[in-house]
Short mmCIF file of all heavy atoms in Angstrom, two decimals:
data_model
loop_
_atom_site.label_atom_id
_atom_site.label_comp_id
_atom_site.label_asym_id
_atom_site.label_seq_id
_atom_site.Cartn_x
_atom_site.Cartn_y
_atom_site.Cartn_z
N MET A 9 142.57 52.93 27.27
CA MET A 9 142.50 54.36 27.51
C MET A 9 141.15 54.92 27.11
O MET A 9 141.07 55.92 26.42
CB MET A 9 143.62 55.06 26.75
CG MET A 9 144.99 54.84 27.36
SD MET A 9 145.02 55.29 29.07
CE MET A 9 145.75 56.88 28.98
N ASN A 10 140.11 54.26 27.49
CA ASN A 10 138.78 54.79 27.25
C ASN A 10 138.48 55.90 28.25
O ASN A 10 139.18 56.08 29.23
CB ASN A 10 137.73 53.69 27.38
CG ASN A 10 137.91 52.64 26.31
OD1 ASN A 10 138.53 52.89 25.29
ND2 ASN A 10 137.37 51.47 26.54
N ASN A 11 137.44 56.63 27.97
CA ASN A 11 136.94 57.66 28.89
C ASN A 11 137.95 58.79 29.13
O ASN A 11 138.07 59.29 30.23
CB ASN A 11 136.54 57.05 30.24
CG ASN A 11 135.50 55.98 30.10
OD1 ASN A 11 134.65 56.06 29.23
ND2 ASN A 11 135.58 54.98 30.95
N VAL A 12 138.66 59.19 28.09
CA VAL A 12 139.65 60.25 28.25
C VAL A 12 138.97 61.55 28.64
O VAL A 12 139.47 62.30 29.49
CB VAL A 12 140.48 60.41 26.95
CG1 VAL A 12 141.40 61.60 27.04
CG2 VAL A 12 141.26 59.15 26.68
N VAL A 13 137.83 61.83 28.04
CA VAL A 13 137.10 63.06 28.37
C VAL A 13 136.64 63.04 29.81
O VAL A 13 136.75 64.04 30.53
CB VAL A 13 135.91 63.26 27.40
CG1 VAL A 13 135.08 64.44 27.80
CG2 VAL A 13 136.41 63.40 25.97
N LEU A 14 136.16 61.89 30.27
CA LEU A 14 135.71 61.78 31.66
C LEU A 14 136.88 61.94 32.63
O LEU A 14 136.73 62.53 33.70
CB LEU A 14 135.01 60.44 31.87
CG LEU A 14 134.17 60.27 33.11
CD1 LEU A 14 133.11 61.36 33.19
CD2 LEU A 14 133.51 58.91 33.12
N ARG A 15 138.05 61.46 32.25
CA ARG A 15 139.23 61.65 33.09
C ARG A 15 139.60 63.13 33.18
O ARG A 15 139.95 63.63 34.25
CB ARG A 15 140.41 60.86 32.54
CG ARG A 15 140.25 59.39 32.68
CD ARG A 15 141.36 58.66 31.95
NE ARG A 15 141.03 57.28 31.77
CZ ARG A 15 141.62 56.29 32.43
NH1 ARG A 15 142.58 56.56 33.28
NH2 ARG A 15 141.25 55.05 32.22
N LEU A 16 139.53 63.82 32.06
CA LEU A 16 139.83 65.25 32.07
C LEU A 16 138.82 66.03 32.90
O LEU A 16 139.18 66.99 33.59
CB LEU A 16 139.89 65.78 30.65
CG LEU A 16 141.07 65.30 29.81
CD1 LEU A 16 140.93 65.81 28.38
CD2 LEU A 16 142.37 65.75 30.42
N VAL A 17 137.56 65.62 32.86
CA VAL A 17 136.54 66.26 33.69
C VAL A 17 136.86 66.05 35.17
O VAL A 17 136.74 66.97 35.98
CB VAL A 17 135.13 65.72 33.34
CG1 VAL A 17 134.11 66.13 34.38
CG2 VAL A 17 134.72 66.20 31.97
N GLY A 18 137.30 64.85 35.52
CA GLY A 18 137.68 64.58 36.91
C GLY A 18 138.85 65.44 37.36
O GLY A 18 138.86 65.96 38.47
N ILE A 19 139.83 65.61 36.48
CA ILE A 19 140.99 66.45 36.81
C ILE A 19 140.55 67.90 36.98
O ILE A 19 140.94 68.58 37.95
CB ILE A 19 142.06 66.33 35.72
CG1 ILE A 19 142.68 64.93 35.75
CG2 ILE A 19 143.14 67.38 35.88
CD1 ILE A 19 143.56 64.62 34.57
N LEU A 20 139.72 68.38 36.06
CA LEU A 20 139.25 69.77 36.15
C LEU A 20 138.40 70.00 37.40
O LEU A 20 138.52 71.04 38.05
CB LEU A 20 138.46 70.14 34.90
CG LEU A 20 139.29 70.30 33.63
CD1 LEU A 20 138.38 70.55 32.43
CD2 LEU A 20 140.29 71.42 33.79
N LEU A 21 137.56 69.03 37.75
CA LEU A 21 136.76 69.16 38.98
C LEU A 21 137.65 69.22 40.21
O LEU A 21 137.39 69.99 41.14
CB LEU A 21 135.78 68.00 39.11
CG LEU A 21 134.47 68.12 38.36
CD1 LEU A 21 133.66 66.84 38.53
CD2 LEU A 21 133.68 69.31 38.84
N GLY A 22 138.69 68.40 40.22
CA GLY A 22 139.61 68.41 41.36
C GLY A 22 140.30 69.75 41.52
O GLY A 22 140.35 70.31 42.62
N PHE A 23 140.82 70.30 40.42
CA PHE A 23 141.49 71.59 40.50
C PHE A 23 140.52 72.72 40.79
O PHE A 23 140.84 73.64 41.55
CB PHE A 23 142.28 71.87 39.22
CG PHE A 23 143.61 71.17 39.18
CD1 PHE A 23 143.91 70.33 38.14
CD2 PHE A 23 144.54 71.36 40.17
CE1 PHE A 23 145.12 69.68 38.09
CE2 PHE A 23 145.77 70.72 40.14
CZ PHE A 23 146.06 69.88 39.10
N LEU A 24 139.35 72.67 40.19
CA LEU A 24 138.34 73.70 40.47
C LEU A 24 137.96 73.69 41.94
O LEU A 24 137.85 74.76 42.57
CB LEU A 24 137.09 73.47 39.61
CG LEU A 24 135.92 74.41 39.86
CD1 LEU A 24 136.27 75.82 39.42
CD2 LEU A 24 134.68 73.91 39.16
N GLY A 25 137.80 72.51 42.50
CA GLY A 25 137.48 72.40 43.92
C GLY A 25 138.58 72.97 44.80
O GLY A 25 138.31 73.65 45.80
N LEU A 26 139.84 72.71 44.44
CA LEU A 26 140.94 73.26 45.23
C LEU A 26 140.97 74.78 45.16
O LEU A 26 141.22 75.45 46.16
CB LEU A 26 142.27 72.68 44.74
CG LEU A 26 142.52 71.22 45.10
CD1 LEU A 26 143.84 70.78 44.50
CD2 LEU A 26 142.52 71.02 46.60
N PHE A 27 140.74 75.34 43.97
CA PHE A 27 140.72 76.79 43.84
C PHE A 27 139.56 77.41 44.60
O PHE A 27 139.70 78.46 45.22
CB PHE A 27 140.68 77.21 42.37
CG PHE A 27 142.00 77.09 41.68
CD1 PHE A 27 142.14 76.27 40.58
CD2 PHE A 27 143.11 77.79 42.11
CE1 PHE A 27 143.36 76.14 39.94
CE2 PHE A 27 144.33 77.68 41.48
CZ PHE A 27 144.46 76.85 40.39
N LEU A 28 138.39 76.76 44.57
CA LEU A 28 137.25 77.28 45.33
C LEU A 28 137.52 77.24 46.82
O LEU A 28 137.21 78.18 47.55
CB LEU A 28 135.99 76.47 45.01
CG LEU A 28 135.34 76.70 43.67
CD1 LEU A 28 134.18 75.72 43.48
CD2 LEU A 28 134.86 78.12 43.54
N ALA A 29 138.10 76.13 47.30
CA ALA A 29 138.38 76.00 48.73
C ALA A 29 139.47 76.98 49.17
O ALA A 29 139.41 77.52 50.27
CB ALA A 29 138.77 74.57 49.06
N ALA A 30 140.46 77.19 48.32
CA ALA A 30 141.56 78.08 48.69
C ALA A 30 141.11 79.54 48.79
O ALA A 30 141.61 80.28 49.64
CB ALA A 30 142.69 77.96 47.68
N GLY A 31 140.17 79.94 47.96
CA GLY A 31 139.73 81.33 47.97
C GLY A 31 138.45 81.56 48.76
O GLY A 31 137.85 82.62 48.66
N ALA A 32 138.04 80.58 49.54
CA ALA A 32 136.76 80.67 50.25
C ALA A 32 136.84 81.68 51.39
O ALA A 32 137.84 81.77 52.09
CB ALA A 32 136.37 79.31 50.79
N ARG A 33 135.75 82.40 51.56
CA ARG A 33 135.64 83.33 52.67
C ARG A 33 134.54 82.92 53.65
O ARG A 33 134.35 83.58 54.66
CB ARG A 33 135.36 84.74 52.15
CG ARG A 33 136.48 85.26 51.30
CD ARG A 33 136.27 86.71 50.96
NE ARG A 33 137.27 87.17 50.02
CZ ARG A 33 138.42 87.71 50.38
NH1 ARG A 33 138.71 87.86 51.66
NH2 ARG A 33 139.28 88.12 49.47
N ASP A 34 133.83 81.86 53.33
CA ASP A 34 132.81 81.35 54.23
C ASP A 34 132.87 79.81 54.23
O ASP A 34 133.42 79.21 53.31
CB ASP A 34 131.42 81.84 53.86
CG ASP A 34 130.99 81.46 52.46
OD1 ASP A 34 131.82 80.94 51.70
OD2 ASP A 34 129.82 81.66 52.13
N PRO A 35 132.35 79.18 55.28
CA PRO A 35 132.45 77.72 55.39
C PRO A 35 131.72 76.96 54.28
O PRO A 35 132.15 75.88 53.89
CB PRO A 35 131.83 77.40 56.75
CG PRO A 35 131.76 78.67 57.49
CD PRO A 35 131.77 79.77 56.48
N GLY A 36 130.64 77.53 53.76
CA GLY A 36 129.89 76.85 52.71
C GLY A 36 130.69 76.70 51.43
O GLY A 36 130.69 75.64 50.80
N MET A 37 131.38 77.76 51.04
CA MET A 37 132.20 77.69 49.83
C MET A 37 133.39 76.76 50.04
O MET A 37 133.78 76.03 49.13
CB MET A 37 132.68 79.08 49.44
CG MET A 37 133.48 79.10 48.16
SD MET A 37 132.51 78.62 46.75
CE MET A 37 131.81 80.17 46.29
N PHE A 38 133.96 76.80 51.24
CA PHE A 38 135.08 75.91 51.54
C PHE A 38 134.65 74.45 51.45
O PHE A 38 135.32 73.62 50.83
CB PHE A 38 135.63 76.23 52.93
CG PHE A 38 136.79 75.36 53.33
CD1 PHE A 38 138.03 75.54 52.75
CD2 PHE A 38 136.62 74.38 54.29
CE1 PHE A 38 139.10 74.73 53.12
CE2 PHE A 38 137.67 73.57 54.65
CZ PHE A 38 138.93 73.75 54.07
N LEU A 39 133.51 74.14 52.04
CA LEU A 39 133.00 72.76 52.01
C LEU A 39 132.65 72.35 50.58
O LEU A 39 132.94 71.23 50.15
CB LEU A 39 131.78 72.62 52.92
CG LEU A 39 131.18 71.23 53.01
CD1 LEU A 39 132.17 70.24 53.57
CD2 LEU A 39 129.92 71.27 53.86
N GLY A 40 132.03 73.24 49.83
CA GLY A 40 131.71 72.95 48.45
C GLY A 40 132.95 72.68 47.61
O GLY A 40 132.98 71.76 46.80
N GLY A 41 133.99 73.47 47.82
CA GLY A 41 135.24 73.25 47.10
C GLY A 41 135.88 71.92 47.45
O GLY A 41 136.38 71.21 46.58
N LEU A 42 135.85 71.57 48.74
CA LEU A 42 136.41 70.28 49.14
C LEU A 42 135.60 69.12 48.57
O LEU A 42 136.18 68.10 48.19
CB LEU A 42 136.48 70.18 50.66
CG LEU A 42 137.56 71.01 51.33
CD1 LEU A 42 137.53 70.78 52.83
CD2 LEU A 42 138.92 70.73 50.77
N LEU A 43 134.29 69.28 48.49
CA LEU A 43 133.47 68.22 47.92
C LEU A 43 133.73 68.07 46.42
O LEU A 43 133.78 66.94 45.91
CB LEU A 43 131.99 68.50 48.18
CG LEU A 43 131.53 68.27 49.62
CD1 LEU A 43 130.08 68.71 49.79
CD2 LEU A 43 131.72 66.84 50.02
N PHE A 44 133.90 69.18 45.71
CA PHE A 44 134.26 69.11 44.29
C PHE A 44 135.58 68.38 44.13
O PHE A 44 135.73 67.53 43.25
CB PHE A 44 134.38 70.51 43.71
CG PHE A 44 133.13 71.03 43.06
CD1 PHE A 44 131.89 70.86 43.64
CD2 PHE A 44 133.22 71.70 41.87
CE1 PHE A 44 130.76 71.34 43.05
CE2 PHE A 44 132.08 72.21 41.26
CZ PHE A 44 130.85 72.02 41.85
N CYS A 45 136.56 68.74 44.95
CA CYS A 45 137.87 68.11 44.86
C CYS A 45 137.77 66.62 45.17
O CYS A 45 138.35 65.79 44.46
CB CYS A 45 138.84 68.79 45.82
SG CYS A 45 140.50 68.12 45.75
N PHE A 46 137.04 66.26 46.21
CA PHE A 46 136.88 64.86 46.57
C PHE A 46 136.20 64.08 45.45
O PHE A 46 136.62 62.97 45.12
CB PHE A 46 136.07 64.74 47.87
CG PHE A 46 135.75 63.31 48.22
CD1 PHE A 46 136.73 62.46 48.69
CD2 PHE A 46 134.47 62.83 48.06
CE1 PHE A 46 136.44 61.15 49.01
CE2 PHE A 46 134.16 61.52 48.36
CZ PHE A 46 135.15 60.67 48.84
N PHE A 47 135.17 64.66 44.85
CA PHE A 47 134.48 63.98 43.77
C PHE A 47 135.40 63.78 42.56
O PHE A 47 135.40 62.72 41.94
CB PHE A 47 133.23 64.75 43.35
CG PHE A 47 132.47 64.08 42.25
CD1 PHE A 47 131.74 62.94 42.48
CD2 PHE A 47 132.52 64.58 40.95
CE1 PHE A 47 131.04 62.31 41.46
CE2 PHE A 47 131.85 63.96 39.92
CZ PHE A 47 131.10 62.82 40.18
N GLY A 48 136.20 64.78 42.23
CA GLY A 48 137.13 64.65 41.11
C GLY A 48 138.18 63.57 41.36
O GLY A 48 138.48 62.77 40.48
N VAL A 49 138.72 63.52 42.57
CA VAL A 49 139.71 62.50 42.91
C VAL A 49 139.07 61.11 42.92
O VAL A 49 139.64 60.16 42.38
CB VAL A 49 140.38 62.83 44.26
CG1 VAL A 49 141.22 61.68 44.76
CG2 VAL A 49 141.22 64.09 44.13
N ALA A 50 137.89 61.00 43.51
CA ALA A 50 137.21 59.70 43.56
C ALA A 50 136.85 59.23 42.15
O ALA A 50 136.97 58.03 41.85
CB ALA A 50 135.95 59.81 44.43
N LEU A 51 136.44 60.14 41.29
CA LEU A 51 136.12 59.78 39.90
C LEU A 51 137.35 59.23 39.19
O LEU A 51 137.27 58.21 38.50
CB LEU A 51 135.57 61.00 39.16
CG LEU A 51 135.27 60.81 37.67
CD1 LEU A 51 134.15 59.79 37.47
CD2 LEU A 51 134.90 62.13 37.05
N ASN A 52 138.49 59.88 39.38
CA ASN A 52 139.70 59.40 38.72
C ASN A 52 140.15 58.05 39.28
O ASN A 52 140.60 57.19 38.53
CB ASN A 52 140.82 60.43 38.83
CG ASN A 52 140.64 61.52 37.81
OD1 ASN A 52 140.29 61.26 36.68
ND2 ASN A 52 140.88 62.75 38.22
N PHE A 53 140.05 57.84 40.58
CA PHE A 53 140.39 56.54 41.14
C PHE A 53 139.46 55.45 40.63
O PHE A 53 139.89 54.34 40.34
CB PHE A 53 140.37 56.57 42.67
CG PHE A 53 141.65 57.03 43.28
CD1 PHE A 53 141.70 58.17 44.05
CD2 PHE A 53 142.82 56.31 43.08
CE1 PHE A 53 142.88 58.59 44.62
CE2 PHE A 53 144.01 56.73 43.63
CZ PHE A 53 144.05 57.87 44.41
N TRP A 54 138.18 55.77 40.48
CA TRP A 54 137.23 54.80 39.96
C TRP A 54 137.55 54.45 38.50
O TRP A 54 137.50 53.28 38.11
CB TRP A 54 135.81 55.34 40.08
CG TRP A 54 134.78 54.40 39.54
CD1 TRP A 54 134.33 53.25 40.10
CD2 TRP A 54 134.08 54.54 38.30
NE1 TRP A 54 133.38 52.68 39.29
CE2 TRP A 54 133.21 53.44 38.18
CE3 TRP A 54 134.10 55.50 37.29
CZ2 TRP A 54 132.38 53.28 37.08
CZ3 TRP A 54 133.26 55.33 36.21
CH2 TRP A 54 132.42 54.22 36.11
N LEU A 55 137.92 55.46 37.71
CA LEU A 55 138.28 55.21 36.32
C LEU A 55 139.55 54.38 36.21
O LEU A 55 139.68 53.53 35.33
CB LEU A 55 138.43 56.53 35.57
CG LEU A 55 137.12 57.25 35.27
CD1 LEU A 55 137.40 58.64 34.74
CD2 LEU A 55 136.28 56.47 34.29
N ILE A 56 140.51 54.61 37.10
CA ILE A 56 141.72 53.80 37.11
C ILE A 56 141.38 52.36 37.46
O ILE A 56 141.90 51.42 36.86
CB ILE A 56 142.75 54.39 38.08
CG1 ILE A 56 143.30 55.70 37.54
CG2 ILE A 56 143.88 53.41 38.35
CD1 ILE A 56 144.13 56.49 38.52
N ALA A 57 140.51 52.17 38.43
CA ALA A 57 140.12 50.81 38.84
C ALA A 57 139.40 50.08 37.73
O ALA A 57 139.48 48.84 37.65
CB ALA A 57 139.24 50.88 40.09
N GLN A 58 138.72 50.79 36.85
CA GLN A 58 138.04 50.15 35.74
C GLN A 58 139.02 49.56 34.72
O GLN A 58 138.68 48.63 33.99
CB GLN A 58 137.11 51.13 35.02
CG GLN A 58 136.01 51.67 35.88
CD GLN A 58 135.12 50.58 36.42
OE1 GLN A 58 134.66 49.73 35.68
NE2 GLN A 58 134.88 50.60 37.72
N ASP A 59 140.23 50.10 34.66
CA ASP A 59 141.22 49.61 33.71
C ASP A 59 141.91 48.33 34.16
O ASP A 59 142.52 47.65 33.35
CB ASP A 59 142.30 50.68 33.48
CG ASP A 59 141.79 51.81 32.61
OD1 ASP A 59 140.78 51.61 31.93
OD2 ASP A 59 142.40 52.89 32.64
N TYR A 60 141.85 48.01 35.45
CA TYR A 60 142.52 46.84 35.98
C TYR A 60 141.48 45.85 36.50
O TYR A 60 140.90 46.07 37.56
CB TYR A 60 143.48 47.24 37.11
CG TYR A 60 144.57 48.15 36.62
CD1 TYR A 60 144.51 49.52 36.81
CD2 TYR A 60 145.66 47.62 35.93
CE1 TYR A 60 145.52 50.35 36.34
CE2 TYR A 60 146.67 48.44 35.46
CZ TYR A 60 146.59 49.79 35.68
OH TYR A 60 147.57 50.61 35.20
N PRO A 61 141.27 44.76 35.77
CA PRO A 61 140.28 43.77 36.23
C PRO A 61 140.74 43.10 37.51
O PRO A 61 141.93 42.90 37.74
CB PRO A 61 140.19 42.78 35.07
CG PRO A 61 141.47 42.95 34.32
CD PRO A 61 141.92 44.37 34.54
N HIS A 62 139.77 42.76 38.34
CA HIS A 62 140.07 42.11 39.62
C HIS A 62 140.11 40.61 39.42
O HIS A 62 139.18 40.01 38.92
CB HIS A 62 139.00 42.47 40.65
CG HIS A 62 138.91 43.95 40.90
ND1 HIS A 62 139.83 44.62 41.67
CD2 HIS A 62 138.06 44.89 40.47
CE1 HIS A 62 139.53 45.90 41.71
NE2 HIS A 62 138.44 46.10 40.98
N HIS A 63 141.20 40.00 39.82
CA HIS A 63 141.36 38.55 39.76
C HIS A 63 141.42 38.02 41.18
O HIS A 63 142.08 38.61 42.04
CB HIS A 63 142.62 38.16 39.00
CG HIS A 63 142.61 38.56 37.57
ND1 HIS A 63 141.79 37.95 36.64
CD2 HIS A 63 143.27 39.51 36.88
CE1 HIS A 63 141.98 38.50 35.46
NE2 HIS A 63 142.87 39.47 35.58
N PRO A 64 140.76 36.92 41.46
CA PRO A 64 140.84 36.36 42.80
C PRO A 64 142.26 35.88 43.12
O PRO A 64 142.98 35.42 42.24
CB PRO A 64 139.87 35.18 42.77
CG PRO A 64 139.59 34.92 41.34
CD PRO A 64 139.92 36.15 40.57
N GLN A 65 142.64 36.03 44.37
CA GLN A 65 143.96 35.61 44.81
C GLN A 65 144.02 34.10 44.92
O GLN A 65 143.05 33.45 45.28
CB GLN A 65 144.27 36.22 46.19
CG GLN A 65 144.34 37.74 46.16
CD GLN A 65 145.57 38.25 45.41
OE1 GLN A 65 146.58 37.59 45.35
NE2 GLN A 65 145.44 39.42 44.82
N GLY A 66 145.14 33.52 44.59
CA GLY A 66 145.33 32.10 44.75
C GLY A 66 144.90 31.26 43.57
O GLY A 66 144.80 30.04 43.66
N VAL A 67 144.62 31.89 42.45
CA VAL A 67 144.20 31.12 41.27
C VAL A 67 145.38 30.91 40.36
O VAL A 67 146.20 31.69 40.15
CB VAL A 67 143.07 31.82 40.51
CG1 VAL A 67 142.75 31.12 39.21
CG2 VAL A 67 141.85 31.91 41.39
#
């Protein structure tokens, strides 16, 4: 359970992005909110992948 702070940052970025996109009145803010959300989700998936080492199949 390393990187707890980084995980929380990823969660906050995801929610912040959703709130920005939901309240957007122009395409730039909507796109920015979606990018924040995407980055937060991708960060959390990357952190999850770091916890599970990859083993080759068939060994």
Side-chain angles (χ1 to χ4, degrees):
M9 287 306 260
N10 295 340
N11 302 326
V12 174
V13 174
L14 196 55
R15 290 172 196 251
L16 291 175
V17 168
I19 292 169
L20 289 175
L21 277 176
F23 279 123
L24 176 68
L26 288 177
F27 283 120
L28 286 175
R33 297 188 186 269
D34 59 352
M37 183 64 87
F38 180 73
L39 181 62
L42 287 182
L43 287 174
F44 266 43
C45 182
F46 174 72
F47 180 73
V49 169
L51 177 64
N52 280 320
F53 274 118
W54 179 74
L55 287 170
I56 290 169
Q58 298 300 311
D59 285 341
Y60 297 100
H62 300 283
H63 296 290
Q65 296 290 332
V67 173

